[in-house]
Amino acid sequence: MKKLITLAFVALFSVSAMAQQVDLRKKINVSGSAETEVTPDIIYIGISLKEYLKDNNSKKRVDITELENQLYNAVLKAGISKEDLMINNVSSYNYATEKKKNPDFLASKQYRLKVSDLNKFNEIMSAIDVKGIASTNIESYDYSKMETLKKDLKIKALLAARDKANYMVTALGEKLGGVLEIQDGGDNVVQPVYRNYMMKAEMADAAAPAQEIDFKKIKLNFTVNAVFEIK
């Protein structure tokens, strides 16, 4: 008998506890979003320089050192720090050895240039012997204040969710209470796709104007889901 009473008491207590756990509050679940576009201000560009023969009838060449000096001086003249110009790869590391094996060997070097303005890049390229430019391409890009921007957008998205909940609840003659739950919808950053900027030495025309680079922006969109109590 005592066991039956105990079991009944436990069962009653369990039912009471479950009833207390049921959330009977009126709630509204909404989402808010915020978006913007920013211009990349950190751009890494690959530049490939290569020696070339001055004409087909002579063995005279424009040396890689001369081309490298042109690039270096153009970078400094554009107001860019020399630390922002790095050598990516040197195919002429065994220059002397290759020369002995093959007198027609043409040395080449690849560089990586960091710029904040693509107009500076055109300025630099125009100061280099165009026949010595094998190719150039945009390797990567970013925005220097990306993390701060993400934070601001998520705050705006959350406030947008609250405003949406408020006018929906007000329309029903109710009052909006405090937030009960917040879910981050994740990062949505759309990187721009640039048209490759390529200049082949054999096709280059020294009299041609500098090529334009399609300049596109980074798009950011953030969504926040939130649950608010209805008073």
PDB file of all heavy atoms in Angstrom, residues 37-45 80 84 113-120 138 140-147 149 191-192 194 215-218 220:
ATOM      1  N   GLU A  37      27.211  47.441 -49.333  1.00  0.00           N
ATOM      2  CA  GLU A  37      28.273  47.138 -50.280  1.00  0.00           C
ATOM      3  C   GLU A  37      29.486  47.991 -49.933  1.00  0.00           C
ATOM      4  O   GLU A  37      29.346  49.159 -49.555  1.00  0.00           O
ATOM      5  CB  GLU A  37      27.837  47.434 -51.719  1.00  0.00           C
ATOM      6  CG  GLU A  37      26.729  46.544 -52.234  1.00  0.00           C
ATOM      7  CD  GLU A  37      26.403  46.829 -53.695  1.00  0.00           C
ATOM      8  OE1 GLU A  37      26.887  47.872 -54.203  1.00  0.00           O
ATOM      9  OE2 GLU A  37      25.698  46.038 -54.318  1.00  0.00           O
ATOM     10  N   VAL A  38      30.665  47.392 -50.041  1.00  0.00           N
ATOM     11  CA  VAL A  38      31.893  48.137 -49.760  1.00  0.00           C
ATOM     12  C   VAL A  38      32.901  47.890 -50.874  1.00  0.00           C
ATOM     13  O   VAL A  38      32.915  46.822 -51.500  1.00  0.00           O
ATOM     14  CB  VAL A  38      32.516  47.738 -48.402  1.00  0.00           C
ATOM     15  CG1 VAL A  38      31.642  48.181 -47.251  1.00  0.00           C
ATOM     16  CG2 VAL A  38      32.778  46.243 -48.331  1.00  0.00           C
ATOM     17  N   THR A  39      33.735  48.867 -51.097  1.00  0.00           N
ATOM     18  CA  THR A  39      34.785  48.749 -52.102  1.00  0.00           C
ATOM     19  C   THR A  39      36.019  48.121 -51.467  1.00  0.00           C
ATOM     20  O   THR A  39      36.481  48.590 -50.430  1.00  0.00           O
ATOM     21  CB  THR A  39      35.154  50.137 -52.661  1.00  0.00           C
ATOM     22  OG1 THR A  39      33.992  50.729 -53.250  1.00  0.00           O
ATOM     23  CG2 THR A  39      36.241  50.011 -53.718  1.00  0.00           C
ATOM     24  N   PRO A  40      36.548  47.051 -52.046  1.00  0.00           N
ATOM     25  CA  PRO A  40      37.759  46.441 -51.481  1.00  0.00           C
ATOM     26  C   PRO A  40      38.888  47.472 -51.379  1.00  0.00           C
ATOM     27  O   PRO A  40      39.122  48.242 -52.302  1.00  0.00           O
ATOM     28  CB  PRO A  40      38.111  45.351 -52.511  1.00  0.00           C
ATOM     29  CG  PRO A  40      36.826  45.047 -53.198  1.00  0.00           C
ATOM     30  CD  PRO A  40      36.080  46.346 -53.261  1.00  0.00           C
ATOM     31  N   ASP A  41      39.559  47.491 -50.237  1.00  0.00           N
ATOM     32  CA  ASP A  41      40.684  48.404 -50.067  1.00  0.00           C
ATOM     33  C   ASP A  41      41.987  47.654 -49.780  1.00  0.00           C
ATOM     34  O   ASP A  41      43.004  48.262 -49.438  1.00  0.00           O
ATOM     35  CB  ASP A  41      40.407  49.428 -48.967  1.00  0.00           C
ATOM     36  CG  ASP A  41      40.155  48.797 -47.611  1.00  0.00           C
ATOM     37  OD1 ASP A  41      40.197  47.545 -47.505  1.00  0.00           O
ATOM     38  OD2 ASP A  41      39.920  49.538 -46.640  1.00  0.00           O
ATOM     39  N   ILE A  42      41.953  46.337 -49.912  1.00  0.00           N
ATOM     40  CA  ILE A  42      43.160  45.506 -49.841  1.00  0.00           C
ATOM     41  C   ILE A  42      43.126  44.593 -51.061  1.00  0.00           C
ATOM     42  O   ILE A  42      42.310  43.676 -51.130  1.00  0.00           O
ATOM     43  CB  ILE A  42      43.213  44.663 -48.555  1.00  0.00           C
ATOM     44  CG1 ILE A  42      43.173  45.562 -47.319  1.00  0.00           C
ATOM     45  CG2 ILE A  42      44.461  43.788 -48.538  1.00  0.00           C
ATOM     46  CD1 ILE A  42      43.115  44.785 -46.011  1.00  0.00           C
ATOM     47  N   ILE A  43      43.983  44.872 -52.023  1.00  0.00           N
ATOM     48  CA  ILE A  43      43.975  44.125 -53.281  1.00  0.00           C
ATOM     49  C   ILE A  43      45.387  43.625 -53.570  1.00  0.00           C
ATOM     50  O   ILE A  43      46.344  44.394 -53.562  1.00  0.00           O
ATOM     51  CB  ILE A  43      43.492  45.016 -54.444  1.00  0.00           C
ATOM     52  CG1 ILE A  43      42.140  45.638 -54.096  1.00  0.00           C
ATOM     53  CG2 ILE A  43      43.398  44.209 -55.738  1.00  0.00           C
ATOM     54  CD1 ILE A  43      41.726  46.749 -55.022  1.00  0.00           C
ATOM     55  N   TYR A  44      45.499  42.326 -53.797  1.00  0.00           N
ATOM     56  CA  TYR A  44      46.788  41.722 -54.140  1.00  0.00           C
ATOM     57  C   TYR A  44      46.797  41.386 -55.630  1.00  0.00           C
ATOM     58  O   TYR A  44      45.907  40.694 -56.123  1.00  0.00           O
ATOM     59  CB  TYR A  44      47.030  40.461 -53.309  1.00  0.00           C
ATOM     60  CG  TYR A  44      47.309  40.754 -51.847  1.00  0.00           C
ATOM     61  CD1 TYR A  44      46.290  40.661 -50.904  1.00  0.00           C
ATOM     62  CD2 TYR A  44      48.584  41.125 -51.428  1.00  0.00           C
ATOM     63  CE1 TYR A  44      46.539  40.943 -49.570  1.00  0.00           C
ATOM     64  CE2 TYR A  44      48.841  41.398 -50.097  1.00  0.00           C
ATOM     65  CZ  TYR A  44      47.818  41.306 -49.172  1.00  0.00           C
ATOM     66  OH  TYR A  44      48.066  41.580 -47.842  1.00  0.00           O
ATOM     67  N   ILE A  45      47.811  41.894 -56.318  1.00  0.00           N
ATOM     68  CA  ILE A  45      47.914  41.719 -57.760  1.00  0.00           C
ATOM     69  C   ILE A  45      49.197  40.979 -58.105  1.00  0.00           C
ATOM     70  O   ILE A  45      50.272  41.300 -57.601  1.00  0.00           O
ATOM     71  CB  ILE A  45      47.899  43.087 -58.473  1.00  0.00           C
ATOM     72  CG1 ILE A  45      46.619  43.833 -58.122  1.00  0.00           C
ATOM     73  CG2 ILE A  45      48.030  42.913 -59.977  1.00  0.00           C
ATOM     74  CD1 ILE A  45      46.578  45.255 -58.617  1.00  0.00           C
ATOM     75  N   ILE A  80      53.444  53.865 -52.845  1.00  0.00           N
ATOM     76  CA  ILE A  80      53.232  52.564 -52.207  1.00  0.00           C
ATOM     77  C   ILE A  80      54.525  52.115 -51.532  1.00  0.00           C
ATOM     78  O   ILE A  80      55.617  52.263 -52.098  1.00  0.00           O
ATOM     79  CB  ILE A  80      52.787  51.512 -53.243  1.00  0.00           C
ATOM     80  CG1 ILE A  80      51.444  51.940 -53.854  1.00  0.00           C
ATOM     81  CG2 ILE A  80      52.651  50.134 -52.613  1.00  0.00           C
ATOM     82  CD1 ILE A  80      50.978  51.053 -54.982  1.00  0.00           C
ATOM     83  N   ASP A  84      55.272  46.443 -49.729  1.00  0.00           N
ATOM     84  CA  ASP A  84      54.061  45.915 -50.360  1.00  0.00           C
ATOM     85  C   ASP A  84      54.340  45.268 -51.714  1.00  0.00           C
ATOM     86  O   ASP A  84      53.409  44.783 -52.371  1.00  0.00           O
ATOM     87  CB  ASP A  84      53.024  47.030 -50.522  1.00  0.00           C
ATOM     88  CG  ASP A  84      52.439  47.463 -49.187  1.00  0.00           C
ATOM     89  OD1 ASP A  84      52.424  46.626 -48.266  1.00  0.00           O
ATOM     90  OD2 ASP A  84      51.997  48.618 -49.067  1.00  0.00           O
ATOM     91  N   LEU A 113      51.924  42.418 -55.595  1.00  0.00           N
ATOM     92  CA  LEU A 113      51.828  43.824 -55.187  1.00  0.00           C
ATOM     93  C   LEU A 113      50.528  44.046 -54.421  1.00  0.00           C
ATOM     94  O   LEU A 113      49.452  43.641 -54.865  1.00  0.00           O
ATOM     95  CB  LEU A 113      51.859  44.724 -56.426  1.00  0.00           C
ATOM     96  CG  LEU A 113      51.683  46.217 -56.178  1.00  0.00           C
ATOM     97  CD1 LEU A 113      52.861  46.780 -55.369  1.00  0.00           C
ATOM     98  CD2 LEU A 113      51.547  46.975 -57.501  1.00  0.00           C
ATOM     99  N   LYS A 114      50.646  44.716 -53.276  1.00  0.00           N
ATOM    100  CA  LYS A 114      49.478  45.051 -52.462  1.00  0.00           C
ATOM    101  C   LYS A 114      49.123  46.514 -52.688  1.00  0.00           C
ATOM    102  O   LYS A 114      49.953  47.395 -52.506  1.00  0.00           O
ATOM    103  CB  LYS A 114      49.780  44.815 -50.978  1.00  0.00           C
ATOM    104  CG  LYS A 114      48.637  45.197 -50.045  1.00  0.00           C
ATOM    105  CD  LYS A 114      49.056  45.005 -48.587  1.00  0.00           C
ATOM    106  CE  LYS A 114      47.961  45.457 -47.641  1.00  0.00           C
ATOM    107  NZ  LYS A 114      48.373  45.336 -46.214  1.00  0.00           N
ATOM    108  N   VAL A 115      47.893  46.761 -53.114  1.00  0.00           N
ATOM    109  CA  VAL A 115      47.429  48.133 -53.341  1.00  0.00           C
ATOM    110  C   VAL A 115      46.073  48.330 -52.673  1.00  0.00           C
ATOM    111  O   VAL A 115      45.361  47.369 -52.386  1.00  0.00           O
ATOM    112  CB  VAL A 115      47.320  48.467 -54.846  1.00  0.00           C
ATOM    113  CG1 VAL A 115      48.673  48.370 -55.526  1.00  0.00           C
ATOM    114  CG2 VAL A 115      46.325  47.542 -55.533  1.00  0.00           C
ATOM    115  N   SER A 116      45.736  49.587 -52.446  1.00  0.00           N
ATOM    116  CA  SER A 116      44.420  49.905 -51.897  1.00  0.00           C
ATOM    117  C   SER A 116      43.543  50.585 -52.940  1.00  0.00           C
ATOM    118  O   SER A 116      42.348  50.778 -52.725  1.00  0.00           O
ATOM    119  CB  SER A 116      44.562  50.815 -50.666  1.00  0.00           C
ATOM    120  OG  SER A 116      45.236  52.015 -51.010  1.00  0.00           O
ATOM    121  N   ASP A 117      44.148  50.923 -54.068  1.00  0.00           N
ATOM    122  CA  ASP A 117      43.442  51.636 -55.123  1.00  0.00           C
ATOM    123  C   ASP A 117      43.921  51.091 -56.471  1.00  0.00           C
ATOM    124  O   ASP A 117      45.109  51.163 -56.792  1.00  0.00           O
ATOM    125  CB  ASP A 117      43.718  53.131 -55.018  1.00  0.00           C
ATOM    126  CG  ASP A 117      42.957  53.954 -56.043  1.00  0.00           C
ATOM    127  OD1 ASP A 117      42.262  53.357 -56.893  1.00  0.00           O
ATOM    128  OD2 ASP A 117      43.051  55.191 -56.005  1.00  0.00           O
ATOM    129  N   LEU A 118      43.001  50.560 -57.254  1.00  0.00           N
ATOM    130  CA  LEU A 118      43.388  49.986 -58.542  1.00  0.00           C
ATOM    131  C   LEU A 118      43.893  51.039 -59.531  1.00  0.00           C
ATOM    132  O   LEU A 118      44.595  50.712 -60.486  1.00  0.00           O
ATOM    133  CB  LEU A 118      42.213  49.221 -59.149  1.00  0.00           C
ATOM    134  CG  LEU A 118      41.877  47.889 -58.481  1.00  0.00           C
ATOM    135  CD1 LEU A 118      40.681  47.241 -59.151  1.00  0.00           C
ATOM    136  CD2 LEU A 118      43.066  46.948 -58.526  1.00  0.00           C
ATOM    137  N   ASN A 119      43.541  52.298 -59.303  1.00  0.00           N
ATOM    138  CA  ASN A 119      44.072  53.350 -60.165  1.00  0.00           C
ATOM    139  C   ASN A 119      45.589  53.457 -60.021  1.00  0.00           C
ATOM    140  O   ASN A 119      46.296  53.796 -60.973  1.00  0.00           O
ATOM    141  CB  ASN A 119      43.425  54.695 -59.825  1.00  0.00           C
ATOM    142  CG  ASN A 119      41.944  54.728 -60.189  1.00  0.00           C
ATOM    143  OD1 ASN A 119      41.545  54.177 -61.207  1.00  0.00           O
ATOM    144  ND2 ASN A 119      41.147  55.372 -59.366  1.00  0.00           N
ATOM    145  N   LYS A 120      46.078  53.146 -58.825  1.00  0.00           N
ATOM    146  CA  LYS A 120      47.520  53.139 -58.606  1.00  0.00           C
ATOM    147  C   LYS A 120      48.182  52.058 -59.451  1.00  0.00           C
ATOM    148  O   LYS A 120      49.295  52.222 -59.949  1.00  0.00           O
ATOM    149  CB  LYS A 120      47.820  52.888 -57.125  1.00  0.00           C
ATOM    150  CG  LYS A 120      47.392  53.998 -56.186  1.00  0.00           C
ATOM    151  CD  LYS A 120      48.314  55.190 -56.301  1.00  0.00           C
ATOM    152  CE  LYS A 120      47.962  56.253 -55.267  1.00  0.00           C
ATOM    153  NZ  LYS A 120      48.840  57.436 -55.368  1.00  0.00           N
ATOM    154  N   ILE A 138      44.563  39.804 -60.776  1.00  0.00           N
ATOM    155  CA  ILE A 138      44.145  40.062 -59.404  1.00  0.00           C
ATOM    156  C   ILE A 138      44.076  38.731 -58.671  1.00  0.00           C
ATOM    157  O   ILE A 138      43.325  37.841 -59.049  1.00  0.00           O
ATOM    158  CB  ILE A 138      42.791  40.781 -59.357  1.00  0.00           C
ATOM    159  CG1 ILE A 138      42.923  42.163 -60.000  1.00  0.00           C
ATOM    160  CG2 ILE A 138      42.296  40.905 -57.912  1.00  0.00           C
ATOM    161  CD1 ILE A 138      41.625  42.922 -60.094  1.00  0.00           C
ATOM    162  N   SER A 140      43.759  38.294 -55.012  1.00  0.00           N
ATOM    163  CA  SER A 140      42.790  38.283 -53.908  1.00  0.00           C
ATOM    164  C   SER A 140      42.491  39.715 -53.487  1.00  0.00           C
ATOM    165  O   SER A 140      43.192  40.656 -53.883  1.00  0.00           O
ATOM    166  CB  SER A 140      43.333  37.483 -52.706  1.00  0.00           C
ATOM    167  OG  SER A 140      44.513  38.072 -52.205  1.00  0.00           O
ATOM    168  N   TYR A 141      41.464  39.854 -52.657  1.00  0.00           N
ATOM    169  CA  TYR A 141      41.056  41.183 -52.203  1.00  0.00           C
ATOM    170  C   TYR A 141      40.276  41.051 -50.902  1.00  0.00           C
ATOM    171  O   TYR A 141      39.731  39.992 -50.578  1.00  0.00           O
ATOM    172  CB  TYR A 141      40.208  41.889 -53.265  1.00  0.00           C
ATOM    173  CG  TYR A 141      39.346  40.946 -54.049  1.00  0.00           C
ATOM    174  CD1 TYR A 141      38.144  40.488 -53.547  1.00  0.00           C
ATOM    175  CD2 TYR A 141      39.769  40.475 -55.286  1.00  0.00           C
ATOM    176  CE1 TYR A 141      37.375  39.581 -54.246  1.00  0.00           C
ATOM    177  CE2 TYR A 141      39.005  39.567 -56.003  1.00  0.00           C
ATOM    178  CZ  TYR A 141      37.805  39.130 -55.479  1.00  0.00           C
ATOM    179  OH  TYR A 141      37.053  38.227 -56.176  1.00  0.00           O
ATOM    180  N   ASP A 142      40.201  42.155 -50.164  1.00  0.00           N
ATOM    181  CA  ASP A 142      39.512  42.141 -48.870  1.00  0.00           C
ATOM    182  C   ASP A 142      39.174  43.572 -48.487  1.00  0.00           C
ATOM    183  O   ASP A 142      39.543  44.524 -49.187  1.00  0.00           O
ATOM    184  CB  ASP A 142      40.396  41.491 -47.804  1.00  0.00           C
ATOM    185  CG  ASP A 142      39.583  40.943 -46.625  1.00  0.00           C
ATOM    186  OD1 ASP A 142      38.371  41.223 -46.545  1.00  0.00           O
ATOM    187  OD2 ASP A 142      40.168  40.245 -45.789  1.00  0.00           O
ATOM    188  N   TYR A 143      38.467  43.706 -47.370  1.00  0.00           N
ATOM    189  CA  TYR A 143      38.122  45.024 -46.838  1.00  0.00           C
ATOM    190  C   TYR A 143      38.707  45.120 -45.439  1.00  0.00           C
ATOM    191  O   TYR A 143      38.490  44.234 -44.605  1.00  0.00           O
ATOM    192  CB  TYR A 143      36.597  45.202 -46.803  1.00  0.00           C
ATOM    193  CG  TYR A 143      36.149  46.544 -46.301  1.00  0.00           C
ATOM    194  CD1 TYR A 143      36.470  47.709 -46.987  1.00  0.00           C
ATOM    195  CD2 TYR A 143      35.404  46.658 -45.136  1.00  0.00           C
ATOM    196  CE1 TYR A 143      36.063  48.948 -46.528  1.00  0.00           C
ATOM    197  CE2 TYR A 143      34.972  47.885 -44.679  1.00  0.00           C
ATOM    198  CZ  TYR A 143      35.310  49.035 -45.378  1.00  0.00           C
ATOM    199  OH  TYR A 143      34.910  50.260 -44.914  1.00  0.00           O
ATOM    200  N   SER A 144      39.460  46.173 -45.171  1.00  0.00           N
ATOM    201  CA  SER A 144      40.244  46.279 -43.935  1.00  0.00           C
ATOM    202  C   SER A 144      39.384  46.339 -42.669  1.00  0.00           C
ATOM    203  O   SER A 144      39.829  45.931 -41.598  1.00  0.00           O
ATOM    204  CB  SER A 144      41.152  47.512 -43.993  1.00  0.00           C
ATOM    205  OG  SER A 144      40.383  48.694 -44.186  1.00  0.00           O
ATOM    206  N   LYS A 145      38.155  46.818 -42.765  1.00  0.00           N
ATOM    207  CA  LYS A 145      37.295  46.948 -41.592  1.00  0.00           C
ATOM    208  C   LYS A 145      36.133  45.955 -41.645  1.00  0.00           C
ATOM    209  O   LYS A 145      35.034  46.233 -41.175  1.00  0.00           O
ATOM    210  CB  LYS A 145      36.766  48.375 -41.475  1.00  0.00           C
ATOM    211  CG  LYS A 145      37.870  49.413 -41.307  1.00  0.00           C
ATOM    212  CD  LYS A 145      37.298  50.818 -41.220  1.00  0.00           C
ATOM    213  CE  LYS A 145      38.413  51.855 -41.075  1.00  0.00           C
ATOM    214  NZ  LYS A 145      37.871  53.244 -41.037  1.00  0.00           N
ATOM    215  N   MET A 146      36.404  44.776 -42.195  1.00  0.00           N
ATOM    216  CA  MET A 146      35.361  43.785 -42.414  1.00  0.00           C
ATOM    217  C   MET A 146      34.679  43.339 -41.111  1.00  0.00           C
ATOM    218  O   MET A 146      33.447  43.256 -41.032  1.00  0.00           O
ATOM    219  CB  MET A 146      35.933  42.568 -43.130  1.00  0.00           C
ATOM    220  CG  MET A 146      34.902  41.494 -43.473  1.00  0.00           C
ATOM    221  SD  MET A 146      33.659  42.061 -44.649  1.00  0.00           S
ATOM    222  CE  MET A 146      34.614  41.993 -46.173  1.00  0.00           C
ATOM    223  N   GLU A 147      35.456  43.038 -40.074  1.00  0.00           N
ATOM    224  CA  GLU A 147      34.880  42.536 -38.825  1.00  0.00           C
ATOM    225  C   GLU A 147      33.995  43.578 -38.147  1.00  0.00           C
ATOM    226  O   GLU A 147      32.931  43.254 -37.623  1.00  0.00           O
ATOM    227  CB  GLU A 147      35.990  42.074 -37.877  1.00  0.00           C
ATOM    228  CG  GLU A 147      36.741  40.844 -38.369  1.00  0.00           C
ATOM    229  CD  GLU A 147      35.814  39.692 -38.716  1.00  0.00           C
ATOM    230  OE1 GLU A 147      34.899  39.404 -37.915  1.00  0.00           O
ATOM    231  OE2 GLU A 147      35.982  39.091 -39.790  1.00  0.00           O
ATOM    232  N   LEU A 149      32.434  45.971 -39.678  1.00  0.00           N
ATOM    233  CA  LEU A 149      31.257  46.109 -40.535  1.00  0.00           C
ATOM    234  C   LEU A 149      30.259  44.979 -40.279  1.00  0.00           C
ATOM    235  O   LEU A 149      29.051  45.201 -40.219  1.00  0.00           O
ATOM    236  CB  LEU A 149      31.689  46.113 -41.998  1.00  0.00           C
ATOM    237  CG  LEU A 149      30.601  46.402 -43.032  1.00  0.00           C
ATOM    238  CD1 LEU A 149      29.965  47.759 -42.774  1.00  0.00           C
ATOM    239  CD2 LEU A 149      31.180  46.350 -44.446  1.00  0.00           C
ATOM    240  N   GLN A 191      31.832  37.889 -52.612  1.00  0.00           N
ATOM    241  CA  GLN A 191      33.037  38.521 -53.133  1.00  0.00           C
ATOM    242  C   GLN A 191      32.851  38.846 -54.610  1.00  0.00           C
ATOM    243  O   GLN A 191      32.265  38.075 -55.358  1.00  0.00           O
ATOM    244  CB  GLN A 191      34.241  37.584 -52.965  1.00  0.00           C
ATOM    245  CG  GLN A 191      34.592  37.293 -51.513  1.00  0.00           C
ATOM    246  CD  GLN A 191      35.342  38.435 -50.861  1.00  0.00           C
ATOM    247  OE1 GLN A 191      35.539  39.485 -51.442  1.00  0.00           O
ATOM    248  NE2 GLN A 191      35.769  38.219 -49.634  1.00  0.00           N
ATOM    249  N   PRO A 192      33.370  39.981 -55.057  1.00  0.00           N
ATOM    250  CA  PRO A 192      33.252  40.331 -56.475  1.00  0.00           C
ATOM    251  C   PRO A 192      34.132  39.443 -57.341  1.00  0.00           C
ATOM    252  O   PRO A 192      35.164  38.961 -56.896  1.00  0.00           O
ATOM    253  CB  PRO A 192      33.743  41.785 -56.511  1.00  0.00           C
ATOM    254  CG  PRO A 192      34.686  41.881 -55.353  1.00  0.00           C
ATOM    255  CD  PRO A 192      34.101  41.001 -54.292  1.00  0.00           C
ATOM    256  N   TYR A 194      36.339  39.640 -60.525  1.00  0.00           N
ATOM    257  CA  TYR A 194      36.965  40.594 -61.428  1.00  0.00           C
ATOM    258  C   TYR A 194      37.317  39.945 -62.757  1.00  0.00           C
ATOM    259  O   TYR A 194      37.700  38.786 -62.813  1.00  0.00           O
ATOM    260  CB  TYR A 194      38.253  41.158 -60.811  1.00  0.00           C
ATOM    261  CG  TYR A 194      38.010  42.168 -59.729  1.00  0.00           C
ATOM    262  CD1 TYR A 194      38.007  41.792 -58.393  1.00  0.00           C
ATOM    263  CD2 TYR A 194      37.777  43.494 -60.032  1.00  0.00           C
ATOM    264  CE1 TYR A 194      37.793  42.719 -57.390  1.00  0.00           C
ATOM    265  CE2 TYR A 194      37.559  44.430 -59.033  1.00  0.00           C
ATOM    266  CZ  TYR A 194      37.570  44.035 -57.721  1.00  0.00           C
ATOM    267  OH  TYR A 194      37.356  44.946 -56.731  1.00  0.00           O
ATOM    268  N   PHE A 215      35.699  47.282 -61.740  1.00  0.00           N
ATOM    269  CA  PHE A 215      35.799  47.505 -60.300  1.00  0.00           C
ATOM    270  C   PHE A 215      34.460  47.227 -59.657  1.00  0.00           C
ATOM    271  O   PHE A 215      33.497  47.959 -59.857  1.00  0.00           O
ATOM    272  CB  PHE A 215      36.228  48.947 -60.038  1.00  0.00           C
ATOM    273  CG  PHE A 215      36.876  49.136 -58.708  1.00  0.00           C
ATOM    274  CD1 PHE A 215      38.230  48.922 -58.552  1.00  0.00           C
ATOM    275  CD2 PHE A 215      36.131  49.505 -57.602  1.00  0.00           C
ATOM    276  CE1 PHE A 215      38.835  49.088 -57.317  1.00  0.00           C
ATOM    277  CE2 PHE A 215      36.733  49.666 -56.370  1.00  0.00           C
ATOM    278  CZ  PHE A 215      38.084  49.465 -56.234  1.00  0.00           C
ATOM    279  N   LYS A 216      34.378  46.141 -58.918  1.00  0.00           N
ATOM    280  CA  LYS A 216      33.120  45.745 -58.290  1.00  0.00           C
ATOM    281  C   LYS A 216      33.256  45.745 -56.774  1.00  0.00           C
ATOM    282  O   LYS A 216      34.361  45.721 -56.241  1.00  0.00           O
ATOM    283  CB  LYS A 216      32.707  44.369 -58.792  1.00  0.00           C
ATOM    284  CG  LYS A 216      32.463  44.336 -60.298  1.00  0.00           C
ATOM    285  CD  LYS A 216      32.038  42.958 -60.767  1.00  0.00           C
ATOM    286  CE  LYS A 216      31.818  42.944 -62.278  1.00  0.00           C
ATOM    287  NZ  LYS A 216      31.409  41.602 -62.762  1.00  0.00           N
ATOM    288  N   LYS A 217      32.120  45.760 -56.111  1.00  0.00           N
ATOM    289  CA  LYS A 217      32.114  45.872 -54.652  1.00  0.00           C
ATOM    290  C   LYS A 217      31.804  44.539 -53.974  1.00  0.00           C
ATOM    291  O   LYS A 217      31.225  43.640 -54.567  1.00  0.00           O
ATOM    292  CB  LYS A 217      31.088  46.926 -54.215  1.00  0.00           C
ATOM    293  CG  LYS A 217      31.426  48.335 -54.693  1.00  0.00           C
ATOM    294  CD  LYS A 217      30.438  49.350 -54.157  1.00  0.00           C
ATOM    295  CE  LYS A 217      30.825  50.761 -54.592  1.00  0.00           C
ATOM    296  NZ  LYS A 217      29.891  51.768 -54.025  1.00  0.00           N
ATOM    297  N   ILE A 218      32.216  44.448 -52.712  1.00  0.00           N
ATOM    298  CA  ILE A 218      31.887  43.297 -51.878  1.00  0.00           C
ATOM    299  C   ILE A 218      30.490  43.526 -51.302  1.00  0.00           C
ATOM    300  O   ILE A 218      30.207  44.580 -50.743  1.00  0.00           O
ATOM    301  CB  ILE A 218      32.905  43.135 -50.738  1.00  0.00           C
ATOM    302  CG1 ILE A 218      34.310  42.904 -51.297  1.00  0.00           C
ATOM    303  CG2 ILE A 218      32.514  41.978 -49.822  1.00  0.00           C
ATOM    304  CD1 ILE A 218      35.390  42.882 -50.227  1.00  0.00           C
ATOM    305  N   LEU A 220      27.533  42.467 -48.651  1.00  0.00           N
ATOM    306  CA  LEU A 220      27.321  41.796 -47.371  1.00  0.00           C
ATOM    307  C   LEU A 220      25.844  41.835 -47.008  1.00  0.00           C
ATOM    308  O   LEU A 220      25.197  42.880 -47.130  1.00  0.00           O
ATOM    309  CB  LEU A 220      28.129  42.458 -46.250  1.00  0.00           C
ATOM    310  CG  LEU A 220      29.647  42.475 -46.408  1.00  0.00           C
ATOM    311  CD1 LEU A 220      30.106  43.788 -47.008  1.00  0.00           C
ATOM    312  CD2 LEU A 220      30.320  42.299 -45.057  1.00  0.00           C
TER     313      LEU A 220
END
